[in-house]
Amino acid sequence: CYISVQSAVLLADISGFSKFAGEMCLRGAKGLDVLHKVTSDFLGHFVHTVYDFDGDGTLRFFALQFR
């Protein structure tokens, strides 16, 4: 049994992220705070876009309900 839905999947590769994350980790707690803020801000833009289209994000899969 399956359900057909209109959907979109976002796969993102953030260039240089591993190097950036490693550098932030070396800075201790303050570096981890920066890493958390940058990552949350960046990915937050995508999540808000999904919600703008009445979508729901689960396990990085976003089913969009087109108007």
Side-chain angles (χ1 to χ4, degrees):
C1 177
Y2 68 92
I3 298 172
S4 177
V5 296
Q6 290 183 322
S7 61
V9 176
L10 170 68
L11 303 173
D13 180 17
I14 304 170
S15 179
F17 181 78
S18 295
K19 181 179 177 184
F20 175 69
E23 290 172 358
M24 292 299 103
C25 287
L26 293 175
R27 295 181 184 192
K30 288 186 180 187
L32 293 176
D33 288 342
V34 170
L35 178 62
H36 177 263
K37 180 171 180 9
V38 169
T39 305
S40 294
D41 289 349
F42 180 78
L43 296 176
H45 291 291
F46 295 113
V47 172
H48 289 295
T49 300
V50 169
Y51 288 141
D52 287 345
F53 286 92
D54 297 327
D56 183 21
T58 305
L59 297 177
R60 306 289 191 273
F61 176 81
F62 301 102
L64 302 179
Q65 299 175 9
F66 296 96
R67 297 178 190 178

